[in-house]
Amino acid sequence: MKSMPSRLRLASRRYSLPFRAPVRTGHGVWAERTGVLVRLTDEAGRTGYGEAAPIPWFGTETADEVDALLKSLGEWVTPVQLDAVPERFGCACFALAAALEGAGADSQKKHEGRAHLPVAALLPAGRAALAQVAEKAEMGFRVFKWKVGAFDLADELSLLDDLVAELPEGARLRLDANGAWDRRQAERWLERAAERPVEFVEQPVAPTMRGADDVLRGLAADYPVTLALDESLAGACDVERWLAAEWRGVFVVKPALFGDPRPVLARLAAAKADVVFSSALETAVGARAALRAAFAWAGFPEKMEKTGKPRALGFGVWPLFEGTVFNGPRAVPFLRMADVEALDEEAAWNALS
Ligand code: MG
């Protein structure tokens, strides 16, 4: 174990990167990713990188708030100072924890965890999904994620069977509503999904809906389809609340929003929670840290025994950006840890100069 550095030099670079194709979700159309890369360098010159990739409509801080926080910390920081950053800066804390680890403040022990994990193929919303299934199945994908709640409900419902018909043998479909439905609409979907190869339905109603937690628990109890919480988990304290409520559905974990993700991931593993790791549409820098957390998660072996395989990663999103250095690992049916370790944080940092 290396010794804890007494102080580190903090630098940050804000970025605004247009997506290669705008991302359409139940929240609307998202055209450009804004975030902040951070770099910490100790006095011996050891350097670590991290990324704050906020999603304000999830309830995270904004990129402006990350900027202001980093400026308030100044050029030289101590690990104690970094530890004292308030928890509500979940994205900034994630960036700083990753950079601190990279700078050698933590032990640089060899990665212990899985060598590879399956990945879900991301399909576009609406009818455009149909044209992509065959190609992705050919590549080897067997889990597909389709964004719903983006178009007219009846149109989307009628597309579901067309989409199911395109799926290869044994494949499963994830439906992600991004909280776009009301309770009645969610019920119609859950009824329809019950007899289809649907792995789970993600965030049927918004966490901002009146009594959302009760509605989600009610839907989970009333329908056989597994439900997944995503927008309902905007930070580590939300995970704690749903663990306390003994949620038996899926926890969609975007490590990028969870501060230093290690404590909350340990809690999820101890609770034998059903976890899907997911991208926050971050760059290669955040992707590396988030995927390292996923590959190291101790909860997977348990799932291996129970279901035969871990849930596919929700990281089938890259290439998201025009600049190659900003992209996380290209979407493939099985991601190797070696591909994660190969991501070049320094190149992404330098490309923003
Ligand atoms: Mg989602």
Side-chain angles (χ1 to χ4, degrees):
M1 188 180 283
K2 294 176 189 172
S3 60
M4 182 79 91
S6 56
R7 60 176 204 157
L8 304 109
R9 189 175 210 140
L10 170 65
S12 64
R13 286 179 182 172
R14 188 182 165 126
Y15 67 81
S16 276
L17 298 168
F19 291 123
R20 291 168 67 238
V23 179
R24 179 184 284 276
T25 75
H27 300 287
V29 177
W30 191 8
E32 188 176 73
R33 217 302 164 226
T34 304
V36 183
L37 299 190
V38 304
R39 186 181 69 184
L40 287 171
T41 310
D42 73 5
E43 288 174 294
R46 288 179 303 217
T47 295
Y49 296 92
E51 176 178 359
I55 312 181
W57 55 89
F58 260 66
T60 74
E61 74 268 41
T62 64
D64 284 343
E65 287 168 326
V66 173
D67 254 349
L69 168 80
L70 295 172
K71 285 201 174 72
S72 76
L73 289 170
E75 191 186 353
W76 288 93
V77 294
T78 64
V80 174
Q81 247 183 310
L82 297 180
D83 215 37
V85 172
E87 211 170 278
R88 70 184 180 85
F89 290 98
C91 301
C93 289
F94 177 74
L96 292 167
L100 190 58
E101 191 174 358
D106 280 346
S107 60
Q108 295 268 316
K109 63 180 181 199
K110 202 168 153 17
H111 174 81
E112 284 165 23
R114 304 182 66 86
H116 54 82
L117 284 169
V119 177
L122 189 60
L123 300 173
R127 180 166 291 278
L130 293 176
Q132 294 202 9
V133 175
E135 185 194 333
K136 289 187 162 147
E138 183 72 20
M139 286 172 73
F141 285 103
R142 288 299 177 268
V143 180
F144 297 83
K145 174 166 169 172
W146 188 37
K147 292 279 183 186
V148 287
F151 296 103
D152 177 74
L153 183 131
D155 289 348
E156 284 185 340
L157 269 177
S158 72
L159 278 173
L160 176 64
D161 280 336
D162 297 342
L163 194 54
V164 166
E166 293 287 324
L167 293 178
E169 183 74 29
R172 308 260 280 161
L173 192 59
R174 297 176 175 176
L175 303 175
D176 188 357
N178 289 113
W181 299 326
D182 61 25
R183 186 183 185 134
R184 296 268 321 260
Q185 293 172 320
E187 286 171 346
R188 285 182 65 189
W189 270 98
L190 293 177
E191 230 162 76
R192 188 69 69 92
E195 289 133 37
R196 307 290 188 284
V198 171
E199 184 188 12
F200 54 76
V201 174
E202 196 169 315
Q203 202 69 44
V205 301
T208 49
M209 170 193 267
R210 204 182 154 86
D213 286 12
D214 289 336
V215 173
L216 287 163
R217 275 193 288 268
L219 292 171
D222 290 348
Y223 294 89
V225 180
T226 300
L227 296 189
L229 303 175
D230 185 4
E231 281 85 344
S232 286
L233 307 178
C237 53
D238 290 326
V239 173
E240 292 294 345
R241 191 177 85 249
W242 284 97
L243 280 175
E246 298 183 338
W247 175 252
R248 295 323 297 168
V250 168
F251 291 75
V252 176
V253 169
K254 290 177 162 62
L257 312 186
F258 283 10
D260 178 348
R262 286 169 291 193
V264 70
L265 289 176
R267 291 269 299 117
L268 285 160
K272 298 186 171 25
D274 195 350
V275 168
V276 169
F277 285 89
S278 177
S279 164
L281 306 192
E282 57 281 87
T283 76
V285 175
R288 187 168 183 276
L291 282 163
R292 281 172 66 99
F295 275 79
W297 191 54
F300 277 138
E302 296 275 353
K303 299 309 296 176
M304 287 288 284
E305 285 160 32
K306 206 165 129 192
T307 65
K309 54 188 168 190
R311 299 261 189 204
L313 297 170
F315 280 88
V317 297
W318 294 287
L320 274 173
F321 309 107
E322 287 297 343
T324 310
V325 289
F326 296 118
N327 284 310
R330 179 170 284 273
V332 286
F334 285 90
L335 187 59
R336 298 178 311 150
M337 186 58 201
D339 298 326
V340 175
E341 295 290 1
L343 293 171
D344 190 344
E345 300 164 301
E346 193 180 356
W349 173 266
N350 288 337
L352 290 178
S353 65

